[in-house]
Amino acid sequence: METNNYYGALQKPLNSGFNAQSTSGEIIKGIDLTGKIAIVTGGHTGIGLETTKTLSNAGATVIVAARDLAKAEKNLSGIANVEIESLDFMNPESIDAFALKFLSSKRPLHLLINNAGIMWVPLRRDHRGYESQLVTNYLGQFQLTLRLFPALKKANGARVLNVSSYGHQMAPFNFDDPNFIHRDYDTLQGYGQSKTACNLFALELDNRAKEFNIRAYSLHPGSVLGTDLGREEPIELFKQMGTHDQDGNLKPEVAALLKTIPQGTATTIWCATSPMLHNIGGVYCEDANVAELDLGNIEHRFDDPSTIRGVQPYSLDHDNAKRLWDLSERMTGITFGI
């Protein structure tokens, strides 16, 4: 029996009872999270906000890590059991300060949901010279997860979720030049490799941490209508993909196929709570299920979101996962022997 998901050994859909139309409310029905503690990065907008609401309604205490505290205060007003803390993934000192404050509370951490992300932005770098999509979508979550590891161990049954994307199919991880120092910057390549990194990190973390009763997952929320993730995306890219008309408007026939925010949150909640995953980790999920391995058998069309699915084998590769872990330790300066 396979015990890890290297090379997609466990990457097989289950009979979850849910589908692409399922909502977070349907997933959480009957589940009591009273006494559980969750951290949701970016838990004040889009699917992150819906994640926070869903977990709170089920009784969990939710710590929302946000860069824009004023926006977080406004969006989270009236939601019970929520704590708001400052966190900026572009600032590694901010990550350490956030983690130290949580660890000082001596609380266990049952759910770490690495939800915060950016998409298709112009070239930006942090003060170390690292490219912003790599930092925000991946490297920050690596640092945060390792810093919070003592609290995850204390939970004795924790889950770590990396909100990834179908966008991982846009690029494997470029080990030779991850920060676009020696190649021209391409925002799709930058986004793609950052999401591939999320998958590889979940894969390797699960294998290293399961002995401490910590399991890890990566997931694709689906193509979701109504988030602000794409606020900086060049409209020309969407025109090329066939999702928008020549005036830059989303085509009605495409909009009708997109997920609502509660539907886009469903896979996060399923990965966080499903008893079907008690003994399975390191898998990439979508549509509230374990995703299908994409071996070239899926025809993808951006104007039909139902075809935007599957996981690439390179993002579940044993050697890539271990190589990325070593690189991430060097880039963050964190050596963590798990």
Side-chain angles (χ1 to χ4, degrees):
M1 180 178 176
E2 296 290 348
T3 58
N4 58 62
N5 194 37
Y6 292 132
Y7 306 115
L10 302 174
Q11 200 63 48
K12 300 174 180 65
L14 306 173
N15 294 317
S16 73
F18 301 108
N19 55 44
Q21 284 71 50
S22 298
T23 66
S24 52
E26 292 168 348
I27 304 291
I28 203 70
K29 188 176 182 180
I31 294 176
D32 183 5
L33 297 179
T34 302
K36 303 297 184 182
I37 298 171
I39 290 175
V40 183
T41 65
H44 60 298
T45 62
I47 64 171
L49 176 57
E50 191 69 21
T51 298
T52 298
K53 290 178 180 178
T54 304
L55 297 176
S56 170
N57 288 339
T61 296
V62 185
I63 295 92
V64 173
R67 186 169 55 86
D68 187 336
L69 293 181
K71 185 175 182 179
E73 292 279 359
K74 178 182 177 182
N75 291 354
L76 295 166
S77 177
I79 302 175
N81 311 318
V82 170
E83 303 170 19
I84 302 172
E85 298 290 347
S86 177
L87 177 64
D88 182 358
F89 273 156
M90 288 290 282
N91 181 349
E93 292 77 18
S94 170
I95 300 171
D96 285 350
F98 172 90
L100 184 61
K101 183 174 182 179
F102 182 82
L103 292 176
S104 69
S105 73
K106 307 296 183 184
R107 292 182 288 181
L109 179 58
H110 302 90
L111 291 171
L112 173 56
I113 301 178
N114 290 311
N115 168 82
I118 57 176
M119 182 177 179
W120 301 359
V121 299
L123 177 60
R124 299 189 183 104
R125 301 187 185 278
D126 70 4
H127 67 77
R128 299 167 294 186
Y130 299 162
E131 188 271 326
S132 66
Q133 291 188 99
L134 180 61
V135 172
T136 304
N137 295 346
Y138 166 64
L139 208 58
Q141 68 179 218
F142 178 87
Q143 180 177 343
L144 180 65
T145 303
L146 267 59
R147 292 302 195 207
L148 291 171
F149 197 77
L152 292 165
K153 285 173 60 178
K154 188 178 292 187
N156 191 29
R159 294 187 184 185
V160 177
L161 278 59
N162 296 340
V163 178
S164 182
S165 170
Y166 170 84
H168 80 274
Q169 297 223 11
M170 295 175 178
F173 193 85
N174 190 311
F175 288 98
D176 295 326
D177 190 15
N179 288 301
F180 294 88
I181 304 299
H182 305 294
R183 55 182 171 138
D184 291 337
Y185 181 67
D186 182 299
T187 190
L188 296 182
Q189 292 287 304
Y191 182 72
Q193 75 159 1
S194 73
K195 292 303 185 178
T196 289
C198 292
N199 300 348
L200 291 169
F201 176 40
L203 176 70
E204 186 63 18
L205 176 65
D206 185 79
N207 192 55
R208 294 181 184 227
K210 61 188 175 184
E211 66 177 284
F212 304 104
N213 204 13
I214 300 167
R215 305 310 300 254
Y217 310 89
S218 56
L219 66 102
H220 170 46
S223 302
V224 184
L225 185 65
T227 75
D228 62 358
L229 180 62
R231 58 190 176 274
E232 292 191 81
E233 298 165 13
I235 196 64
E236 291 303 320
L237 289 177
F238 290 110
K239 291 180 183 179
Q240 292 171 21
M241 291 175 180
T243 59
H244 289 60
D245 63 26
Q246 288 306 305
D247 294 325
N249 300 310
L250 180 65
K251 295 178 180 178
E253 62 270 24
V254 176
L257 298 172
L258 296 176
K259 290 188 178 188
T260 64
I261 288 178
Q263 289 172 335
T265 309
T267 304
T268 297
I269 300 302
W270 186 75
C271 288
T273 63
S274 175
M276 299 186 78
L277 296 176
H278 279 332
N279 298 310
I280 302 173
V283 290
Y284 172 94
C285 300
E286 62 190 9
D287 295 337
N289 206 334
V290 177
E292 183 180 355
L293 195 63
D294 186 352
L295 300 174
N297 53 308
I298 303 172
E299 181 184 358
H300 305 293
R301 290 176 46 212
F302 284 101
D303 61 349
D304 181 358
S306 68
T307 70
I308 305 304
R309 62 185 183 87
V311 58
Q312 280 292 324
Y314 58 63
S315 76
L316 299 175
D317 182 88
H318 170 277
D319 295 341
N320 288 346
K322 294 189 177 301
R323 189 178 178 188
L324 179 64
W325 187 284
D326 292 342
L327 175 63
S328 303
E329 286 191 341
R330 294 196 301 273
M331 290 181 72
T332 59
I334 301 173
T335 300
F336 203 78
I338 58 170

